[in-house]
Amino acid sequence: MRSAFDFAPYRRSTIGFDRLFDLLENSGLAQGSETYPPFDLIQVDDNHYRISLAVAGFSRDEIDITAQQNQLIVTGKKADDDKVNYIHRGIANRQFERRFGLADFIKVTDADLRDGLLSIDLVREIPEAMRPRRVSIGGSQTNQASIDSAKQQTVEATAQESIEA
């Protein structure tokens, strides 16, 4: 099921946003399919986030967390306990896989399992080259002086080379 909104005009006029539009168009499919385990998304501050999943009954050995290429995958696999003879089994023993899409520059820093809650800490680390920086406005005379100076150095270097030859 695709979104009711048509992204075609935006796809034609933007470059590099294909992944974003695919996520928006297919978001209706993913919302209904994953309901277990329940989770909270918490923004700790501007660059720190936490995902808390309710994984009661799972031990550290039964949970696997994988971060790969803008995606965080949390899986839980319960070991079958054939030695126990259940009269009634009301606690679910089901496996799960929960996927979270991560934005660029989001890194998983820590994970902790306490009191049935799995907490995964995330941080946004923007490289220095990608951070906004202030550009000073220079006068045209300053720029022209720099250009004239560079030209003068080139002329002097060429004259020096012809004298040496």
Side-chain angles (χ1 to χ4, degrees), residues 15-165:
I15 298 170
F17 290 93
D18 297 333
R19 182 174 168 268
L20 173 67
F21 293 130
D22 290 342
L23 286 171
L24 290 171
E25 287 177 342
N26 297 324
S27 66
L29 294 173
Q31 301 240 343
S33 63
E34 291 185 17
T35 59
Y36 181 78
F39 67 95
D40 290 335
L41 294 174
I42 303 161
Q43 183 173 7
V44 178
D45 61 32
D46 287 343
N47 292 317
H48 292 85
Y49 304 90
R50 179 173 296 128
I51 300 172
S52 294
L53 288 104
V55 292
F58 284 87
S59 69
R60 296 178 196 281
D61 298 334
E62 296 169 331
I63 297 175
D64 184 43
I65 303 169
T66 306
Q68 64 181 22
Q69 194 173 6
N70 294 357
Q71 194 167 41
L72 175 67
I73 304 168
V74 181
T75 56
K77 295 182 182 175
K78 291 290 282 180
D80 290 332
D81 195 3
D82 296 334
K83 299 174 187 172
V84 178
N85 185 17
Y86 289 98
I87 295 172
H88 170 73
R89 188 158 193 169
I91 299 173
N93 191 21
R94 62 178 160 172
Q95 301 177 6
F96 68 88
E97 178 177 284
R98 181 65 97 158
R99 293 176 178 261
F100 298 93
L102 301 177
D104 292 335
F105 313 117
I106 297 288
K107 306 280 189 247
V108 178
T109 58
D110 192 25
D112 186 33
L113 180 62
R114 183 178 298 146
D115 298 329
L117 284 178
L118 174 66
S119 296
I120 304 169
D121 293 326
L122 309 164
V123 66
R124 178 177 32 201
E125 295 177 350
I126 300 174
E128 190 64 36
M130 301 291 289
R131 291 188 183 161
R133 62 183 182 276
R134 185 169 302 276
V135 177
S136 62
I137 302 172
S140 61
Q141 292 178 357
T142 305
N143 291 338
Q144 188 61 38
S146 297
I147 293 170
D148 291 342
S149 173
K151 283 182 182 178
Q152 182 64 29
Q153 290 174 354
T154 304
V155 169
E156 289 173 359
T158 305
Q160 184 68 24
E161 287 176 3
S162 64
I163 292 172
E164 292 175 357

